[in-house]
Amino acid sequence: MPKVLIATEKPFAAEAVNKIKAELEAAKYEYEFLENYTEATQLHAAVADVDGLIIRSDIVDEAVFNAAKNLKVVVRAGAGYDNIDLKAATAHNVVAMNTPGQNSNAVAELALGMMIYMARGMYNGKSGSELSGKTLTLYGYGWVPRFLANMAKGVGMKIYAYDPYISKDLMTQDGVTPLETVEDIFKLGDYISLHIPATAETKKSINDKLFGLMKDNAIIINTARKEVIDEEALMRAFEAKSKFRYASDVAPDNAAELKEKYADRIFCTPKKMGAQTGEANVNAGVAAAKQIIGFLEKGDKTYQVNK
Ligand code: 3PG
């Protein structure tokens, strides 16, 4: 009987836990949950005898693969898989997958909420501004920005996107105007929403050059990854542009200093919470369980990311 470990330092909602259990029980799989753990050694001990592993932003590195002698498949219940060492997965003959799209509506709703929150001066009681008629530029055009574009249309925004990996026709069909360069994203946006993964190429890529192109009163919404920001350049952007504002789902490393100097222009969630809804947890968690069963029973490798 195959065994699956669900290792979530940030646990799924109870409803999702029950649905994941039901999925695995129907397949007659054994399972174990490791939630709220604080040490990597706890994860190493828990993976020792499992065939499949479901995670969220949990770190799955060489040490985890070394400890998981029977592991055949790891599924990141979510979109970004920068927390999995893909080379190590391949070297250990483990298939790594994500669950694209499953939690995207939740992240898009958080981005929209952050836009309104920043437009209204973080609800400080003073006169703010409206989203209607403003320009939203989407850096990346995967699932989250597609959902966000649809929502932003509803509030009357003009929407542009840049993504060299996505067809411009798709953007046009969605009523989104494609842009030719990343520079255009930063030049045009009243609201600039980031939707790029953290890769060797994108880490610290939002730098002085791109910040320098922004309007003085631009607002960046970051529900992607903090690593894509050059944080020293971010500090300089606050200094250089007196009305620039930044809202981020997970604080930059220099958040304390930024908040001390620019308290009314920066907002960060206390813990990454874009995908923290019951609905997103159910969608991504159940998809992950189904993908593990599909792979172990039929060799289905749809959504494999370490090819
Ligand atoms: C993702 O990449 O899917 C999101 O960042 C959500 O991450 P989480 O599962 O840790 O909340």
Side-chain angles (χ1 to χ4, degrees):
M1 190 189 277
K3 183 172 176 187
V4 176
L5 174 72
I6 300 92
T8 48
E9 175 271 322
K10 184 174 61 184
F12 289 123
E15 186 191 358
V17 168
N18 290 337
K19 290 196 168 155
I20 293 166
K21 284 182 183 170
E23 206 64 51
L24 295 170
E25 280 164 18
K28 303 206 176 338
Y29 279 29
E30 275 184 68
Y31 57 80
E32 191 182 318
F33 280 76
L34 175 69
E35 296 178 324
N36 295 309
Y37 62 97
T38 51
E39 305 297 329
T41 49
Q42 295 172 272
L43 177 57
H44 300 165
V47 290
D49 61 345
V50 303
D51 302 277
L53 173 62
I54 295 175
I55 50 155
R56 296 185 64 179
S57 290
D58 307 75
I59 304 294
V60 179
D61 56 11
E62 179 75 37
V64 174
F65 289 113
N66 281 335
K69 298 291 178 219
N70 296 339
L71 190 65
K72 296 159 191 75
V73 55
V74 53
V75 181
R76 194 284 189 238
Y81 44 87
D82 47 306
N83 49 323
I84 305 177
D85 182 337
L86 295 185
K87 278 196 186 137
T90 305
H92 286 264
N93 211 16
V94 174
V95 168
M97 299 180 190
N98 66 349
T99 65
Q102 298 291 347
N103 60 16
S104 306
N105 186 67
V107 181
E109 286 190 12
L110 184 75
L112 184 73
M114 282 176 156
M115 284 160 61
I116 295 172
Y117 186 60
M118 297 313 277
R120 293 303 183 95
M122 301 196 277
Y123 304 152
N124 62 2
K126 296 182 188 160
S127 184
S129 60
E130 300 180 19
L131 301 188
S132 181
K134 304 295 187 310
T135 297
L136 168 65
T137 55
L138 303 167
Y139 184 13
Y141 201 66
W143 283 102
V144 175
R146 287 194 75 186
F147 279 105
L148 179 58
N150 195 37
M151 295 170 194
K153 254 187 277 174
V155 293
M157 299 188 84
K158 291 172 273 185
I159 309 155
Y160 297 80
Y162 169 73
D163 191 327
Y165 303 103
I166 301 276
S167 105
K168 291 194 171 76
D169 288 347
L170 181 71
M171 297 177 192
T172 312
Q173 278 162 30
D174 289 351
V176 172
T177 307
L179 293 173
E180 292 300 326
T181 67
V182 60
E183 284 80 10
D184 292 338
I185 287 284
F186 285 81
K187 274 184 214 161
L188 278 182
D190 296 311
Y191 293 81
I192 300 163
S193 193
L194 307 180
H195 302 286
I196 52 174
T199 64
E201 202 188 9
T202 64
K203 282 181 186 168
K204 290 186 190 274
S205 67
I206 315 289
N207 54 19
D208 285 307
K209 185 182 155 213
L210 294 177
F211 285 127
L213 297 170
M214 294 186 307
K215 298 178 182 180
D216 189 58
N217 62 349
I219 297 175
I220 292 187
I221 307 292
N222 184 2
T223 54
R225 291 288 182 270
K226 73 182 168 74
E227 289 81 3
V228 302
I229 300 283
D230 175 342
E231 295 183 352
E232 285 169 17
L234 176 66
M235 177 70 73
R236 289 189 285 273
F238 271 100
E239 279 156 19
K241 299 191 188 263
S242 60
K243 292 181 185 151
F244 165 63
R245 281 162 285 168
Y246 183 71
S248 182
D249 187 17
V250 143
D253 292 339
N254 57 354
E257 194 184 346
L258 285 167
K259 281 183 181 166
E260 200 187 305
K261 290 186 174 167
Y262 309 107
D264 55 345
R265 296 202 273 144
I266 179 163
F267 169 75
C268 310
T269 52
K271 198 165 184 154
K272 185 146 72 95
M273 55 175 298
Q276 280 293 64
T277 67
E279 295 90 334
N281 290 171
V282 167
N283 291 343
V286 170
K290 283 186 196 274
Q291 285 174 219
I292 291 207
I293 297 163
F295 174 71
L296 292 176
E297 300 305 317
K298 299 185 213 136
D300 185 346
K301 293 185 189 174
T302 311
Y303 305 124
Q304 182 176 5
V305 291
N306 61 332
K307 286 186 244 189

